[in-house]
Amino acid sequence: MSVEGGQPVDERRDLGARARKVGVVVWSSFLAACAGTLFLFAFIAPTDIIGPADGSDWQDHLGTYSLGFLGLWCLAAVASTIALYLHNGPEHK
Amino acid sequence: MTTKGDAGAVAPASESYYVAHQKIYPREVSGRFQRLRTAAVWILLGLYYLLPWINLHCRQSVLFDLRARQFYIFEMVLWPQDFIFLTWLLVLAGLSLFFFTAVAGRLWCAYACPQTVWTEVFLWLERLAEGGRARRLKLDAAPWSASKLARKGGKQLLWITFALWTGFTFVGYFSPIRDLGLRVLQFELGPWETFWSLFYGFATYGNAGLLREQVCKYMCPYARFQGAMFDKDTLIITYDAGRGEPRGARRRGADAKATGLGDCVDCRACVQVCPTGIDIRKGLQYECIACAACVDACDEVMDRVGMPRGLVRYTTQHALDHKTTHVLRPRIIVYGSLLALLFVGFIVALALRKPVGLDVIRDRNALYRLLDDGRIENVYTVKILNKSERAHEFTLTVHGDGEYSIDPLVPRYSVAPGSVYPAILRVRRPAWGSVSGSGTIRFEVVAEDDPRIHAAHEARFLAPAQ
């Protein structure tokens, strides 16, 4: 810990430029995945994917919803990363 | 190698455009707005933690039952078919945000945002373990010792316990919480329930404990675009520079006019209490979440030095410029009218929502079947949705142009509350009667105990063309 301009500075909590970019990607894709999950599972029931026989188990249902959400999150994160990468065009390098 | 900044300035490539983050040690504050914020924390978090434990009609009052695909919100039961209501609610919430922001600035951020209320609790816990601002500053600057370890460890223990409880409650909105609690005690929690409890707990810990104001500054989209909803008549928290400047310390009881100073005594109390670490005297900044802690702090100082309150206050830019503030203005009228219209529409649509739903799916294996007695048969899967909280006995009938008969002859179905009854129904019609070719038929279900509970669905009856 150091002191800068009379205020103590805790470097451990400094997110840094790279971490902030990760934060932007993770957070924006999380919001998109939330909306996407609501929309997706309004029209598709877990039993449509895993079948009614397996669908009787509560954990199977929750697993389908969870994997659906995590899958959408990954997809949205990839899209956000590509958008961020393309936004920082060659002139920035 | 060099890179070019926005203003055309040339900076070394290795130089970061990000300022190193400074840990903020907000000082505790008391006053009327702090009391309001505390009340908001108690009400909102109280609702969050208690609601899943309150039962209604022998079920959890608020439960997003994923297994049954039904959302229970007190008396209301929403099905996937009612997705429009959820969308409607989200639109209403978004529009309310626009409306209240245009009228009164960042009310949401100051009093109702989950980030604000949970950060407030994490700050209370931090103060409980580590003490006030001065003690926390001293503790962080001190070398590691047993006392520091105990205080820091105690804080982490409180934070983690609270975060886990928050995660558990979150899962309790999706899986009945009493059963969930029992399974936690018996170490029988499912893998996904464990994952989501930890995930949400970790998110709470990370956002409200570690990141705090950085979420508002770097992650919140609303903080970035709320400026578009502001105008000179929007309520903002601002420093009255005309009254406060030139600022400076002075002796107690000294005549400010004689010293040539304004009312600001430059005590920096407004800066010390700010949870985002800004100096409100530099003007309106996007980091300001309008929590009014600086208003309370400044009022307290003004009371002590015997000057009128309100050097930092809720006001509008027009009021500061000695112009008239208009509450009713085009954007308020547009937002307000839309909001009122959508709200009334939502209530009406909800009131008119039928407690029974009917879905008819034609058998896709065969278009139709010619029976030996000369009739044509179409097979349908009929799904009766009982959205009410009572069981009903439903009678199903089929109508259309022609002499239609059905098998079973008098279909009666007893449908449990909140469930779907799937039934196979065979509809028949003479092949060469008064009507020929394909046509539209109407399925109707009526509850025997209450004829007002009914639903209808149209479907195609396929037959060979003449």
Side-chain angles (χ1 to χ4, degrees):
Chain A
M1 187 159 143
S2 62
V3 175
E4 190 177 282
Q7 284 284 328
V9 178
D10 189 343
E11 289 88 358
R12 285 165 304 168
R13 283 177 30 126
D14 178 18
L15 282 176
R18 192 179 293 266
R20 279 178 200 174
K21 281 179 185 169
V22 172
V24 165
V25 166
V26 169
W27 180 237
S28 57
S29 52
F30 174 81
L31 293 178
C34 287
T37 307
L38 264 179
F39 191 74
L40 176 73
F41 287 113
F43 298 101
I44 298 172
T47 45
D48 296 339
I49 302 167
I50 55 178
D54 299 329
S56 58
D57 186 0
W58 162 230
Q59 291 302 329
D60 283 346
H61 275 84
L62 192 56
T64 312
Y65 286 119
S66 303
L67 289 175
F69 171 76
L70 295 173
L72 281 176
W73 194 1
C74 288
L75 209 63
V78 169
S80 301
T81 309
I82 292 171
L84 190 69
Y85 178 73
L86 293 177
H87 174 72
N88 294 328
E91 69 276 10
H92 285 258
K93 292 186 177 171
Chain B
M1 189 181 160
T2 58
T3 52
K4 209 169 179 186
D6 286 345
V10 175
S14 57
E15 189 178 315
S16 171
Y17 288 101
Y18 292 97
V19 177
H21 172 71
Q22 296 191 3
K23 184 177 177 181
I24 293 162
Y25 298 84
R27 207 190 75 188
E28 44 283 40
V29 63
S30 59
R32 54 200 164 131
F33 295 111
Q34 176 60 29
R35 280 195 292 278
L36 264 179
R37 255 196 335 276
T38 308
V41 170
W42 278 102
I43 293 168
L44 294 172
L45 288 190
L47 282 175
Y48 174 79
Y49 291 104
L50 288 180
L51 268 185
W53 295 98
I54 298 169
N55 275 6
L56 190 77
H57 303 311
C58 301
R59 60 153 171 87
Q60 199 167 307
S61 57
V62 179
L63 177 67
F64 305 109
D65 191 344
L66 294 179
R67 179 165 38 181
R69 290 172 66 73
Q70 290 164 24
F71 289 0
Y72 299 99
I73 305 168
F74 300 105
E75 293 285 347
M76 194 164 59
V77 184
L78 294 177
W79 291 61
Q81 290 80 358
D82 300 321
F83 181 70
I84 184 75
F85 288 104
L86 276 183
T87 316
W88 206 326
L89 264 180
L90 285 176
V91 172
L92 272 176
L95 210 54
S96 303
L97 197 63
F98 287 8
F99 177 74
F100 287 110
T101 303
V103 173
R106 296 177 71 170
L107 276 186
W108 164 257
C109 300
Y111 301 99
C113 174
Q115 178 64 26
T116 309
V117 291
W118 266 311
T119 299
E120 195 80 11
V121 176
F122 274 74
L123 275 171
W124 292 345
L125 297 175
E126 188 173 65
R127 283 183 197 129
L128 193 70
E130 295 184 358
R133 181 176 191 265
R135 290 184 71 176
R136 292 204 304 279
L137 276 164
K138 202 174 159 187
L139 187 72
D140 278 0
W144 280 99
S145 63
S147 161
K148 183 172 177 173
L149 196 67
R151 287 186 176 280
K152 291 276 177 191
K155 178 182 82 175
Q156 292 299 331
L157 189 70
L158 287 173
W159 278 8
I160 290 168
T161 309
F162 185 70
L164 286 177
W165 183 32
T166 306
F168 164 76
T169 307
F170 174 75
V171 176
Y173 276 96
F174 297 91
S175 176
I177 200 162
R178 290 162 195 262
D179 174 57
L180 194 74
L182 275 176
R183 284 189 285 126
V184 167
L185 293 175
Q186 293 163 353
F187 297 101
E188 284 179 0
L189 214 55
W192 284 109
E193 290 162 338
T194 311
F195 170 78
W196 285 114
S197 295
L198 294 176
F199 179 90
Y200 200 81
F202 173 74
T204 309
Y205 174 89
N207 285 337
L210 297 181
L211 293 174
R212 291 185 193 171
E213 79 290 346
Q214 294 180 82
V215 173
C216 311
K217 282 160 78 172
Y218 306 119
M219 289 164 69
C220 178
Y222 170 61
R224 302 294 177 91
F225 68 69
Q226 44 93 20
M229 290 168 252
F230 275 48
D231 55 30
K232 290 187 173 178
D233 289 310
T234 301
L235 209 56
I236 51 173
I237 289 176
T238 193
Y239 163 68
D240 190 343
R243 187 186 138 191
E245 298 296 320
R247 71 187 78 156
R250 78 282 319 260
R251 284 187 182 171
R252 188 183 288 266
D255 183 7
K257 280 183 185 162
T259 54
L261 291 170
D263 282 359
C264 177
V265 297
D266 203 17
C267 61
R268 293 183 63 80
C270 55
V271 182
Q272 288 172 5
V273 297
C274 180
T276 61
I278 60 166
D279 187 343
I280 193 70
R281 297 171 301 176
K282 289 179 182 170
L284 187 63
Q285 295 146 75
Y286 85 93
E287 293 97 332
C288 174
I289 59 166
C291 66
C294 51
V295 178
D296 281 336
C298 188
D299 281 351
E300 199 182 325
V301 173
M302 289 294 113
D303 287 348
R304 272 211 306 269
V305 296
M307 278 189 276
R309 287 179 165 201
L311 182 57
V312 180
R313 63 179 184 272
Y314 270 114
T315 186
T316 66
Q317 189 58 50
H318 271 156
L320 277 178
D321 297 340
H322 305 291
K323 291 178 183 168
T324 312
T325 297
H326 302 280
V327 177
L328 278 181
R329 45 198 198 273
R331 73 167 65 206
I332 300 294
I333 294 168
V334 171
Y335 289 155
S337 306
L338 272 175
L339 191 62
L341 206 67
L342 279 173
F343 184 72
V344 170
F346 180 75
I347 298 296
V348 170
L350 211 58
L352 295 178
R353 197 171 64 110
K354 288 188 171 175
V356 59
L358 182 65
D359 199 13
V360 179
I361 306 158
R362 261 183 47 79
D363 180 17
R364 290 186 185 131
N365 292 323
L367 293 177
Y368 55 82
R369 204 156 66 93
L370 278 168
L371 303 180
D372 294 340
D373 60 5
R375 289 188 296 171
I376 302 161
E377 180 184 273
N378 280 205
V379 181
Y380 300 86
T381 302
V382 177
K383 289 183 177 176
I384 304 167
L385 286 73
N386 182 4
K387 299 181 191 176
S388 73
E389 301 234 28
R390 280 191 301 135
H392 291 289
E393 187 97 5
F394 290 100
T395 309
L396 197 146
T397 51
V398 176
H399 309 277
D401 291 335
E403 300 152 35
Y404 288 97
S405 60
I406 48 178
D407 177 18
L409 208 57
V410 187
R412 270 206 189 89
Y413 307 104
S414 180
V415 190
S419 64
V420 185
Y421 190 97
I424 302 291
L425 197 75
R426 295 169 191 280
V427 181
R428 292 162 189 155
R429 195 192 72 191
W432 316 113
S434 57
V435 178
S436 60
S438 301
T440 302
I441 52 173
R442 187 178 167 85
F443 292 77
E444 278 184 18
V445 281
V446 182
E448 290 192 348
D449 59 330
D450 187 353
R452 287 173 304 172
I453 302 175
H454 63 93
H457 195 284
E458 287 192 343
R460 290 289 289 168
F461 183 88
L462 297 182
Q466 262 185 330

